Amino acid sequence: MRKFIIRHEKQVLRAFEILPGFFSWNMILFPYWGIFVFPNFIAYFILLFNVYWFYQSFLVAITSIVSHLKIQAAINYDWMADLKTFKDFKDVNHLIIIPTFKEPLHILERTINSLVGQTFPTKQIAVILAMEEKELPEDRNSKFEILNSKFDQYDINYLTVTSCDADHKYHPNHFANLAFKFLDNPKRYRTFWQPAVMFYNNIWEIPAITRVPNTLGSIWNLSQLPRKDRLINAQNYSLSFKLLDEVDYWDADKIPEDWGIFFKAYYKVNGGLEVEPVYLPLHADAAQSSSFWKTLKNQYEQYRRWAWGASDDSWIIRNYLLDTKIPFWDKTTRLTHVLWSHFMWPVNWFLITIGLTLPTLLNPAFGRTTLGFMVPKLSSYILTASLVFLLSLVFIDNIYKPKRPENVSVWKSILFPFEFILMPIAGFFFAALPGLDAHTRLMLGKYIQYKVTEKV
């Protein structure tokens, strides 16, 4: 198999690119033709999936609460006091790389101000503002001169490297916490560090229909921190400069670079990588534009770009099959998590929301059987019970969401929890549809171009 893959690598990779779309389309359509061929199997399949969804909802609720408790402890902890117990803590420097393309100046200032406000010594923090070549030279130079006049530049010595979006806002303890974890970890050169990315900077300004997926996405990010069995760095993360240099940095031709750099490093150093959680909130902007419809379009394109992470699957599978040094169960567990996360992205909504209802309408004879009558009812009870876990998410969201601005009515704040009734609609337009769009384009070889999310 190794010889075949190496000899026909281009064709093999293209075949693997077809898999996400092939899988998602077949899983979505499976209940509609299967209800005529083996209706009993379809009924039990949908029921078991709903039980699985109940279990996952329970896990998200529990791990969110665990993260919340650890974050509250980390927020109030004196990390600098513990950090100073290491004799070499002054040797640690943090390099923060901020790629930017046409971001408004106030957003860049907000991000850099959050770095200036760190409890960690700012003289040990270096910022690289990486501007796109396509941006007009006069705009690049103007922003650089203004920001350089406000914020000092630092020499680079012994570094951690942080990939930071231009709209990210750090908690004051972030880099003191990161420095402590770096020095305290004997596997520091085989570790990534991941905070809780929460899309709360402008959460009060966006429409309800996009506020729902951004709120759920924030809590989801929070819930993944304790799951070290499946945690992979995303959106904002840090690693040692030594590891980054060892694996020859990021690949310039990859759109989803966060999981990309993890698996590039994972295979290059023969496994053994870990992602350690940083239990502190990191606020980011939700997708927003100058009008309601432009905001919806902006949000859709952002989720499609994230779903394009399935484009990594081909070379991850290829490396999995060629690798002979990483322990089998280690690499198999990683691969299974990646494929399940990517392949099921567009499928979940259809199995949960439509479930057996529409297939039973297509085959009314089965709907009149005992099984056809009972399974939809049981599924409804299970999914309704799953909504109980939503209460914990509303509670946590209320803690971490910024306080209501003065220009936002009190009624909007009161009605905020009731916006979750929009979940089925938001789930279709900002999960299932962009996911299916990305998978289908990848399957057909219609590759998307990188498009920066607009900032206002």
Side-chain angles (χ1 to χ4, degrees), residues 82-311:
D82 266 10
L83 181 60
K84 289 177 181 178
T85 61
F86 293 95
K87 295 180 180 179
D88 55 347
F89 88 94
K90 290 185 179 180
D91 294 332
V92 177
N93 286 270
H94 297 302
L95 171 65
I96 297 92
I97 302 176
I98 307 175
T100 174
F101 179 63
K102 295 185 177 181
E103 271 84 11
L105 186 61
H106 69 91
I107 287 181
L108 296 172
E109 287 184 332
R110 182 184 64 194
T111 298
I112 297 178
N113 270 319
S114 73
L115 295 172
V116 171
Q118 292 293 305
T119 57
F120 188 79
T122 55
K123 66 181 181 179
Q124 293 172 247
I125 295 177
V127 178
I128 291 184
L129 196 62
M131 294 186 177
E132 293 279 351
E133 187 178 1
K134 290 184 292 185
E135 188 164 4
L136 294 175
E138 56 268 27
D139 291 340
R140 292 203 310 268
N141 296 336
S142 173
K143 290 178 184 176
F144 177 79
E145 288 174 4
I146 293 173
L147 293 171
N148 195 40
S149 67
K150 291 188 176 185
F151 306 102
D152 290 333
Q153 299 296 299
Y154 307 99
D155 292 332
I156 298 173
N157 188 5
Y158 183 60
L159 297 173
T160 69
V161 183
T162 297
S163 174
C164 172
D165 286 357
D167 59 284
H168 288 178
K169 181 181 177 182
Y170 290 96
H171 186 275
N173 280 341
H174 184 98
F175 287 98
N177 183 303
L178 176 61
F180 175 83
K181 287 179 177 292
F182 177 80
L183 292 176
D184 193 50
N185 191 340
K187 297 181 178 180
R188 68 188 70 159
Y189 303 121
R190 291 292 182 267
T191 302
F192 287 76
W193 288 273
Q194 177 67 48
V197 179
M198 312 184 86
F199 306 102
Y200 281 157
N201 280 336
N202 56 343
I203 195 69
W204 290 100
E205 302 169 22
I206 58 178
I209 191 67
T210 62
R211 188 157 47 242
V212 169
N214 279 289
T215 299
L216 292 175
S218 300
I219 304 302
W220 171 262
N221 288 342
L222 189 77
S223 73
Q224 296 305 290
L225 294 185
R227 298 291 305 272
K228 294 190 73 171
D229 59 323
R230 59 188 300 171
L231 182 61
I232 300 179
N233 52 283
Q235 299 162 343
N236 186 298
Y237 57 90
S238 304
L239 69 161
S240 65
F241 185 88
K242 182 176 180 179
L243 175 60
L244 185 63
D245 182 67
E246 184 179 355
V247 302
D248 199 26
Y249 306 91
W250 295 275
D251 292 330
D253 59 345
K254 288 191 181 299
I255 291 178
E257 50 79 26
D258 40 19
W259 282 29
I261 188 62
F262 176 84
F263 279 99
K264 180 181 181 180
Y266 179 77
Y267 285 115
K268 190 135 187 180
V269 303
N270 301 320
L273 288 187
E274 295 183 359
V275 181
E276 185 177 7
V278 174
Y279 286 106
L280 287 169
L282 186 145
H283 285 188
D285 282 4
Q288 187 181 11
S289 189
S290 54
S291 70
F292 174 81
W293 292 110
K294 286 183 178 180
T295 294
L296 266 57
K297 182 175 182 290
N298 208 10
Q299 184 72 84
Y300 178 89
E301 290 177 344
Q302 182 184 67
Y303 275 100
R304 184 179 65 178
R305 189 178 74 246
W306 290 350
W308 191 254
S311 62

Side-chain angles (χ1 to χ4, degrees), residues 27-46:
M27 283 293 290
I28 290 169
L29 296 176
F30 175 51
Y32 302 104
W33 62 263
I35 199 70
F36 295 103
V37 182
F38 27 69
N40 288 355
F41 179 82
I42 295 298
Y44 285 119
F45 170 75
I46 296 294

Side-chain angles (χ1 to χ4, degrees), residues 385-397:
S386 299
L387 293 176
V388 174
F389 303 127
L390 187 62
L391 296 176
S392 65
L393 306 190
V394 173
F395 168 74
I396 292 174
D397 170 67

